[in-house]
Amino acid sequence: MPHAVYPGSFDPLTNGHLDVIRRSAAVFDRLTVAVVVNPQKREPMFTLEERYAMLTECTNDLRNIEVADFRGLLADFVKEIGADVIVKGLRVISDFESELSTALMNRSLSDVDTMFLMSDARYSFVSSSLIKEVFLLGGDVSSYVPPPVLKMMNARHKKLRALRPTT
Ligand code: PNS
């Protein structure tokens, strides 16, 4: 019964992430989508609770998925829950460069391998940070994030605008 872990910041969840989640859920018996508590990249747009909620809502049709959160080392979390494999998506060559060392370190720390799915070509240029940048500059990101996530982004943007001084 292979149990896989798909870790990430999911700030926000994109259609690229969702594609990897759906394809992984079809291959592994059980998939834990693991949200890192403190993303190392800048100030997050969404809280842990909001990222958790978007993942839960967008995967509620998949029976073998659970959403969890972790802090600290991924290798420790994987050992703690007894998972067999880590899953990651690979978009472009530059992903490979950083993922290679990460996968080797994680295997060295936990004895758990990382398996990679090639991103769907439709999403090979989609990243959470790019989505946030385009969105905050007024671009249309509706093709790249699931509808519930777009709704949350619009709500967040409205709140930010309301807080902004008018002078
Ligand atoms: O979606 P992201 O931001 O690309 O996901 C990165 C993530 C969460 C997978 C990575 O930052 C991670 O594994 N963080 C946990 C800390 C850790 O284990 N670091 C050592 C990696 S060898």
Side-chain angles (χ1 to χ4, degrees):
M1 292 285 283
H3 176 188
V5 174
Y6 178 46
S9 306
F10 307 108
D11 185 46
L13 172 71
T14 68
N15 285 339
H17 292 131
L18 207 49
D19 176 61
V20 171
I21 290 172
R22 290 187 181 284
R23 287 159 61 205
S24 303
V27 170
F28 298 104
D29 292 304
R30 187 174 161 200
L31 180 70
T32 300
V33 181
V35 189
V36 69
V37 172
N38 296 315
Q40 279 161 354
K41 300 165 195 164
R42 296 183 254 150
E43 183 85 351
M45 178 179 254
F46 292 105
T47 64
L48 173 67
E49 290 70 27
E50 288 167 331
R51 290 180 280 137
Y52 196 99
M54 61 179 73
L55 273 161
T56 308
E57 182 171 358
C58 296
T59 60
N60 64 8
D61 60 314
L62 299 167
R63 290 289 138 246
N64 56 342
I65 288 217
E66 68 218 47
V67 182
D69 55 78
F70 75 102
R71 59 179 74 236
L73 282 176
L74 174 63
D76 288 341
F77 176 73
V78 166
K79 279 194 285 188
E80 190 188 308
I81 65 167
D84 306 292
V85 64
I86 297 166
V87 179
K88 294 268 188 92
L90 269 188
R91 291 165 303 189
V92 286
I93 293 288
S94 53
D95 278 353
F96 176 82
E97 286 174 15
S98 57
E99 292 295 352
L100 174 63
S101 51
T102 304
L104 294 177
M105 178 59 84
N106 278 328
R107 192 174 62 186
S108 173
L109 293 172
S110 66
D111 211 23
V112 170
D113 263 308
T114 301
M115 291 186 160
F116 294 96
L117 290 185
M118 296 305 149
S119 286
D120 188 290
R122 282 173 298 169
Y123 309 124
S124 62
F125 60 95
V126 174
S127 67
S128 295
S129 47
L130 203 51
I131 294 299
K132 279 185 283 195
E133 183 177 341
V134 171
F135 175 79
L136 291 172
L137 293 170
D140 178 6
V141 296
S142 56
S143 305
Y144 313 121
V145 294
V149 173
L150 187 65
K151 207 170 146 194
M152 289 171 82
M153 291 178 83
N154 282 326
R156 172 56 36 90
H157 197 225
K158 229 168 143 182
K159 201 166 148 193
L160 287 177
R161 265 197 313 230
L163 289 173
R164 206 178 288 155
T166 47
T167 52

